[in-house]
Amino acid sequence: MKLPVQFGDVLGAYERIKDRIRKTPVLTSRSLNELTGSQLFFKCENFQRAGAFKYRGANNALLLLTREEMQRGVLTHSSGNHAAALALASRRLGIRAFIVMPRNAPAIKKQAVLDFGAEVVECEPTLEAREKTAAAVQEKTGAVFIHPYNNRQVIAGQGTAALELLREVGELDAVFAPVGGGGLLSGTAVVTRYLNPGAEVFGCEPANADDAYRSFHAGKLIPVRNPDTIADGLRTSLAPITFEMIRKLVSDILLVSEEDIVIAMRLLWERLKIVVEPSGAVPFAAALRHKEKFRKKRVGIILSGGNVDLEKMPFGREGSG
Amino acid sequence: MKLPVQFGDVLGAYERIKDRIRKTPVLTSRSLNELTGSQLFFKCENFQRAGAFKYRGANNALLLLTREEMQRGVLTHSSGNHAAALALASRRLGIRAFIVMPRNAPAIKKQAVLDFGAEVVECEPTLEAREKTAAAVQEKTGAVFIHPYNNRQVIAGQGTAALELLREVGELDAVFAPVGGGGLLSGTAVVTRYLNPGAEVFGCEPANADDAYRSFHAGKLIPVRNPDTIADGLRTSLAPITFEMIRKLVSDILLVSEEDIVIAMRLLWERLKIVVEPSGAVPFAAALRHKEKFRKKRVGIILSGGNVDLEKMPFGREGSG
């Protein structure tokens, strides 16, 4: 059966967005290679505009709107990186953006969205309130809803990070991506399986938000409710499109503990000298946790984002230093 | 009168060390350009091996030793980035390195030097004890003393950072470098004045450790004793060689407050997603503090290093959020 997103969709997305995004660097580190026993290639989407890979998918989705849709504006509900990415990409294209955010979203995230010129609509902090508010905004404005991951154009855009990675470093044995809603993992998988069929793709997930792991092994969608993990970008659950992609293309889901995430994040900051958010550190946490399995392998690691509140650092408490 | 270090010395240093160092990236940021009103080019020596530009000068000095000197080993007294750089560069060249460190140096810094395979010799935390201990080690081992900045080969090596910067970005109006002992500033100045004579060079210094500012304006060396600044790499004072270079080549010394440094560091972490140590953030702090003077100018900023203890972050206290 034909997959919802094909390699050609990612190629098309790349042609569409490549002059609007940053071609992010791939970093390597002898000391982190020594720690894991594998050869790691870090694709640094923390350097992407608006601070995360989400800017790729948001641009692709916006650029595929009709002229008439662009005039109506766009809408999403998110308090995270998709909101900021959609806000910035919309501003650059002269499209109005409405972002539905829970009233208790961190002030810093709300400010980022406002700074990017979007209109924030607050709601109560429940999924029901979010959807209801979004529906009301949509009805009033006619804005086009851009789902953060259950959207084929968004997934195709997210796949362009792996496209750049594989084109730059050549054949890999494995590619690790974090999995929350599954958009990045789906896009990464379709690119990797096409360009580098000998490489396996792994989703990396906090054990405290293990819906992808459970869904993958049960063969049916099993969402989680309000998971408690420091990896705030991975609290979402898979959706029908991403689940279909992932069950067909991904080898397994690797789980990591909260402590693993903090240790991994700290090592990335200290050794690579880059700021990576907890969600972005999850694939490297998996590379550390499961290092026996990948000894001497060439492993691509997608560092998905770098948006972190410096006032709320996990160091000095769980500190493993 | 001929300067102690010439442009040709830097060119020679670059040929000598270029396969051993990282060619660090130059980053730009629209949002930081908007904040200052100038066009900033950040030369990221925080990504240099051992986490700072010091690796350049250490390699150049080591590669100029005679075979017989290499067999005797090298020695320095430093608790900071020069110690780590000399330790790592020595290990790669198979040279023994002795590092005299005060007993109260941060455990994390001592560990870095030990991890790089150097022999640490502890002493009391006074300048007198340091020099006495170093002399004793030198007498016993015959090791060659490599001064962190009052050394022509070290200065020539440090100048290679500006060489890479100017070759990559072309003509600039100004180049900012931090000034502690003055090795980086001296090397930066000799390269900039030669390659880009229209550009002015500025040393950037914490007001709490303003010996370079005072020496520059008095026309004679005025060292400071135990200055209190968060920029731990800039607590040292100019030495004869660096003072001579700086007074002849540098336009002025720009001072910044402790609060300026924390604000600048935070902006670099948040906007560029990179880890920069307080000393490394001082030139950008100067670009913020003195922004009227550099409006619409193309300014090179040398981010000198990224070695910071994540347990002792200045955020959440002085936080300007």
Side-chain angles (χ1 to χ4, degrees):
Chain A
M1 206 186 84
K2 197 162 170 270
L3 286 165
V5 181
Q6 308 280 314
F7 179 69
D9 297 325
V10 181
L11 277 188
Y14 197 59
E15 287 310 306
R16 210 168 283 125
I17 69 176
K18 69 176 194 286
D19 296 331
R20 298 181 174 270
I21 59 166
R22 280 220 179 99
K23 183 168 184 290
T24 55
V26 177
L27 297 184
T28 59
S29 159
R30 292 188 202 183
S31 78
L32 297 182
N33 287 348
E34 279 167 25
L35 262 183
T36 55
S38 35
Q39 203 179 342
L40 305 177
F41 299 89
F42 296 97
K43 176 65 173 168
C44 293
E45 287 296 297
N46 56 325
F47 293 145
Q48 191 49 265
R49 294 195 197 287
F53 72 94
K54 297 280 190 182
Y55 194 66
R56 296 173 181 270
N59 267 291
N60 192 46
L62 292 176
L63 290 165
L64 283 165
L65 294 177
T66 64
R67 195 189 175 81
E68 184 270 333
E69 286 171 324
M70 285 193 185
Q71 281 163 352
R72 274 151 52 197
V74 294
L75 161 73
T76 199
H77 53 71
S78 157
S79 58
N81 289 333
H82 175 65
L86 193 71
L88 181 61
S90 297
R91 184 175 67 173
R92 294 264 164 88
L93 288 163
I95 297 172
R96 279 181 82 180
F98 302 91
I99 312 288
V100 175
M101 291 184 108
R103 222 176 279 287
N104 61 354
I108 194 173
K109 298 230 162 168
K110 196 177 147 192
Q111 194 55 49
V113 168
L114 289 170
D115 286 348
F116 291 144
E119 293 167 57
V120 170
V121 184
E122 289 196 334
C123 69
E124 293 305 314
T126 66
L127 184 62
E128 199 194 0
R130 257 189 203 204
E131 288 178 349
K132 216 166 149 180
T133 310
V137 174
Q138 196 170 14
E139 185 154 9
K140 192 174 149 198
T141 61
V144 180
F145 184 75
I146 312 270
H147 194 280
Y149 45 89
N150 198 42
N151 175 310
R152 294 174 53 237
Q153 286 77 43
V154 168
I155 293 171
Q158 318 305 32
T160 60
L163 184 68
E164 287 179 349
L165 170 66
L166 290 168
R167 282 176 171 176
E168 180 167 341
V169 306
E171 296 270 310
L172 293 174
D173 298 304
V175 179
F176 288 15
V179 55
L184 178 64
L185 179 58
S186 296
T188 300
V190 76
V191 166
T192 305
R193 301 298 299 153
Y194 186 94
L195 280 186
N196 191 170
E200 290 189 284
V201 178
F202 294 88
C204 305
E205 190 175 46
N208 282 8
D210 64 349
D211 72 286
Y213 179 87
R214 290 193 284 134
S215 301
F216 186 83
H217 289 283
K220 59 175 183 174
L221 266 181
I222 305 176
V224 283
R225 279 265 166 196
N226 304 318
D228 179 25
T229 171
I230 187 178
D232 54 295
L234 306 182
R235 290 177 192 149
T236 44
S237 294
L238 296 184
I241 299 176
T242 54
F243 179 56
E244 185 183 346
M245 301 282 293
I246 287 167
R247 62 188 300 202
K248 287 188 178 147
L249 299 173
V250 166
S251 292
D252 204 352
I253 308 293
L254 305 174
L255 296 179
V256 298
S257 70
E258 296 297 298
E259 197 193 350
D260 291 339
I261 299 170
V262 173
I263 290 171
M265 185 171 153
R266 188 190 178 106
L267 281 166
L268 293 170
W269 290 43
E270 284 183 349
R271 304 292 173 87
L272 294 183
K273 312 295 181 193
I274 61 176
V275 173
V276 178
E277 63 186 84
S279 306
V282 165
F284 176 56
L288 284 167
R289 164 64 55 196
H290 302 271
K291 65 182 177 181
E292 298 308 328
K293 193 174 156 70
F294 300 97
R295 192 168 294 285
K296 304 207 171 170
K297 304 289 190 193
R298 284 167 58 88
V299 180
I301 300 273
I302 304 197
L303 297 181
S304 53
N307 293 324
V308 64
D309 186 345
L310 293 176
E311 300 296 338
K312 291 177 184 163
M313 302 260 304
F315 310 128
R317 286 184 280 130
E318 285 104 317
S320 62
Chain B
M1 208 187 81
K2 198 164 167 272
L3 285 166
V5 180
Q6 307 280 315
F7 179 68
D9 298 324
V10 181
L11 277 188
Y14 196 59
E15 286 310 305
R16 209 169 283 125
I17 69 176
K18 69 173 192 285
D19 295 331
R20 298 179 173 273
I21 59 166
R22 280 219 181 100
K23 183 167 184 288
T24 56
V26 177
L27 297 184
T28 58
S29 159
R30 291 188 204 182
S31 77
L32 297 183
N33 287 348
E34 279 167 24
L35 262 183
T36 55
S38 34
Q39 202 180 343
L40 304 177
F41 299 89
F42 296 97
K43 176 66 173 168
C44 293
E45 287 296 296
N46 56 326
F47 292 146
Q48 190 50 262
R49 295 196 196 288
F53 73 94
K54 296 279 189 183
Y55 194 68
R56 298 173 180 268
N59 267 292
N60 193 46
L62 292 176
L63 290 165
L64 283 165
L65 294 178
T66 64
R67 193 185 175 83
E68 184 270 334
E69 287 172 324
M70 285 193 184
Q71 280 163 354
R72 275 152 51 198
V74 294
L75 161 73
T76 200
H77 54 68
S78 157
S79 57
N81 289 334
H82 175 64
L86 193 69
L88 181 62
S90 296
R91 183 174 71 174
R92 295 265 164 88
L93 288 164
I95 297 172
R96 282 180 79 181
F98 302 91
I99 312 288
V100 175
M101 291 184 108
R103 223 176 280 288
N104 61 355
I108 195 173
K109 299 230 161 168
K110 197 177 145 193
Q111 195 55 49
V113 169
L114 290 170
D115 287 348
F116 291 146
E119 294 167 56
V120 170
V121 184
E122 289 197 334
C123 69
E124 293 305 313
T126 67
L127 184 62
E128 199 193 2
R130 255 189 203 206
E131 288 179 347
K132 217 167 150 181
T133 309
V137 173
Q138 197 170 13
E139 186 155 7
K140 191 177 149 198
T141 61
V144 180
F145 184 74
I146 311 269
H147 193 282
Y149 46 87
N150 198 44
N151 175 310
R152 295 174 52 238
Q153 286 77 44
V154 168
I155 292 170
Q158 318 306 30
T160 62
L163 184 67
E164 286 179 350
L165 170 66
L166 290 169
R167 282 177 172 174
E168 182 167 341
V169 306
E171 297 271 308
L172 294 174
D173 298 304
V175 179
F176 287 15
V179 54
L184 177 65
L185 179 57
S186 296
T188 300
V190 76
V191 166
T192 305
R193 300 299 298 152
Y194 186 95
L195 280 185
N196 191 169
E200 289 190 285
V201 179
F202 294 88
C204 304
E205 191 175 45
N208 281 8
D210 63 348
D211 72 286
Y213 179 88
R214 289 193 284 134
S215 301
F216 186 85
H217 289 282
K220 60 174 181 175
L221 267 180
I222 305 176
V224 281
R225 280 268 166 193
N226 305 318
D228 179 25
T229 171
I230 188 178
D232 54 296
L234 307 181
R235 291 176 192 150
T236 44
S237 294
L238 296 184
I241 299 176
T242 54
F243 179 55
E244 185 184 345
M245 301 282 294
I246 288 166
R247 63 189 297 203
K248 286 185 179 149
L249 299 173
V250 166
S251 292
D252 204 351
I253 307 294
L254 305 174
L255 295 179
V256 297
S257 71
E258 296 298 297
E259 197 194 349
D260 290 340
I261 298 171
V262 174
I263 290 171
M265 186 170 152
R266 189 193 177 103
L267 281 166
L268 293 169
W269 290 43
E270 285 182 350
R271 304 291 173 88
L272 294 183
K273 312 295 182 193
I274 61 176
V275 173
V276 178
E277 62 187 85
S279 305
V282 165
F284 175 56
L288 286 166
R289 165 64 55 196
H290 302 272
K291 65 183 179 183
E292 298 308 327
K293 191 174 157 71
F294 300 97
R295 191 168 295 284
K296 304 206 172 174
K297 304 288 189 194
R298 285 166 58 87
V299 180
I301 301 274
I302 304 197
L303 298 180
S304 53
N307 293 323
V308 65
D309 186 345
L310 294 176
E311 300 297 338
K312 292 178 182 161
M313 301 258 306
F315 311 129
R317 286 184 281 132
E318 287 103 318
S320 62

